[in-house]
Amino acid sequence: MDRREFLTGTTAAGIMAAIAPQLAAGRDEAPVPRRRLGKTGREVSIIGYGGIVAMGRGQREVTREIIRFIDRGVNYFDVAPSYGNGEAEERLGPALLGRRDGLFLACKTERRDRQGAREALETSLKRLRTDHFDLYQLHAITTLEDVEKALGPGGAMEAFVEAREKGYVRYLGFSAHSVEAALEAMRRFDFDTILFPFNWVCWMRGNFGPQVLKEARSRGMGCLALKAMAKAPWPTGAERTAPKCWYEPHFDPAEAALALRFTLSLDVTAAIPPGDERLFPLALEVASRFKPLTEAERRQLQAKAETLEPLFRHNA
């Protein structure tokens, strides 16, 4: 499907109509608040720009958009070489060139071995046209085997620590999609941050997230959220109207706002919205006018969660 046709769909039209008054506000646009990222001491915007947003789009469009987001106060950018086989990094590099001061740039690698992680880091630095990353992360730690490979002898963490000593990275973290793997990784290494699916349906119905957030906060780690605006797995046979998302995101502006506000009302620093470019402007407006979730809104989400299947569960 042509991108112009894609953006003229009903969901895109509904989102843009809902946020048009805020986008037209011009100079009156509210800046995105910032929070402290755990023991790093850095202040980052409460929403981050995920590199997937830049995939499949022209360089001029991406650069123009990123400049606008930086002007609104977004200073947290997260990317990985697996996003479009390097395409996301190649788009962000030119867009951030000359604008690096004051930004918090995070990258990650799925490589679990020392040599592979070192090579991945070098390639990402070149693509992003920078001499260092503020945060470098193990990407998608999912099993205890992942933890053992990455943190054991000859594992990726040896390259991470070496890179930190040489100034190529400042802080070390990981992203995870399993409670067991996240808890074990924190036990094995003194990480600075965790990037984890802190999502309202998973939290309320899947018992997935509370134990990880509690452990991370007890260690002074900065907590970053994935899947904040995720709804549920795509229904069987449904048209996948967001090709960049393996799950169904919230396209209804009111539902999306509640979902994001749930996550930002937790003890987290920031959330990264889905990679669909139609949703980031909505997330920007919600974040710039953020108000903690009320008890009535929490009860509303709890009732809704009972009708949905969580993306992740923890059965312990």
Side-chain angles (χ1 to χ4, degrees):
M1 180 182 292
D2 181 82
R3 183 175 174 274
R4 290 182 179 273
E5 295 175 352
F6 182 56
L7 288 176
T8 55
T10 56
T11 51
I15 290 174
M16 296 312 294
I19 64 174
Q22 291 91 340
L23 294 177
R27 290 175 299 177
D28 295 329
E29 291 178 334
V32 176
R34 296 181 180 181
R35 294 176 180 172
R36 180 170 176 161
L37 185 60
K39 57 192 173 187
T40 72
R42 296 287 297 275
E43 296 284 328
V44 303
S45 51
I46 64 173
I47 60 165
Y49 181 97
I52 296 177
V53 176
M55 286 169 45
R57 306 169 69 196
Q59 186 63 60
R60 288 186 179 181
E61 180 185 17
V62 170
T63 300
R64 183 169 58 248
E65 183 177 77
I66 284 178
I67 291 172
R68 185 169 74 248
F69 294 154
I70 292 174
D71 288 343
R72 288 291 300 277
V74 175
N75 73 335
Y76 169 33
F77 291 82
D78 181 276
V79 69
S82 58
Y83 298 162
N85 195 29
E87 181 188 1
E89 292 181 323
E90 291 169 351
R91 290 289 179 272
L92 258 64
L96 298 179
L97 192 64
R99 303 178 179 90
R100 189 72 171 78
D101 289 348
L103 300 186
F104 189 89
L105 181 57
C107 192
K108 41 194 184 277
T109 178
E110 292 179 316
R111 298 298 299 267
R112 306 297 186 226
D113 61 297
R114 178 174 182 166
Q115 182 61 29
R118 181 188 295 116
E119 292 172 356
L121 171 61
E122 292 172 352
T123 299
S124 292
L125 287 170
K126 290 177 182 177
R127 285 178 178 158
L128 285 150
R129 306 188 185 189
T130 185
D131 61 356
H132 75 281
F133 290 123
D134 296 285
L135 174 63
Y136 202 58
Q137 305 154 103
L138 294 171
H139 191 181
I141 292 293
T142 304
T143 66
L144 295 179
E145 183 181 6
D146 285 334
V147 177
E148 182 57 39
K149 285 182 177 179
L151 277 70
M157 285 310 300
E158 293 182 0
F160 278 40
V161 171
E162 180 183 18
R164 182 173 61 181
E165 292 172 350
K166 293 182 177 180
Y168 297 130
V169 303
R170 291 179 176 171
Y171 309 109
L172 304 179
F174 70 96
S175 70
H177 298 86
S178 132
V179 169
E180 293 84 358
L183 295 176
E184 180 63 13
M186 287 188 280
R187 187 187 70 80
R188 294 277 298 269
F189 188 85
D190 184 22
F191 287 99
D192 297 302
T193 67
I194 179 173
L195 180 61
F196 196 80
F198 295 118
N199 164 269
W200 67 283
V201 183
C202 297
W203 185 286
M204 292 179 164
R205 190 151 191 254
N207 186 35
F208 187 92
Q211 53 287 97
V212 172
L213 183 60
K214 180 180 179 181
E215 181 64 23
R217 297 306 297 158
S218 74
R219 296 174 179 272
M221 294 171 62
C223 297
L224 304 164
L226 294 168
K227 310 299 186 289
M229 294 167 71
K231 183 177 182 180
W234 287 106
T236 302
E239 180 185 1
R240 299 199 174 192
T241 54
K244 296 180 186 178
C245 299
W246 61 266
Y247 53 87
E248 181 182 8
H250 283 288
F251 276 116
D252 179 89
E255 290 183 357
L258 277 178
L260 180 56
R261 287 176 55 220
F262 169 85
T263 298
L264 292 177
S265 295
L266 300 174
D267 192 10
V268 303
T269 296
I272 298 178
D276 191 292
E277 59 264 32
R278 296 167 292 176
L279 290 172
F280 196 88
L282 173 60
L284 184 70
E285 296 310 318
V286 173
S288 64
R289 293 165 173 81
F290 171 70
K291 292 182 179 180
L293 212 64
T294 67
E295 282 305 311
E297 290 169 330
R298 187 176 295 274
R299 289 193 296 269
Q300 178 184 345
L301 285 179
Q302 183 70 61
K304 180 68 174 178
E306 296 304 315
T307 70
L308 296 172
E309 178 63 27
L311 295 179
F312 305 100
R313 288 181 178 272
H314 178 62
N315 298 318

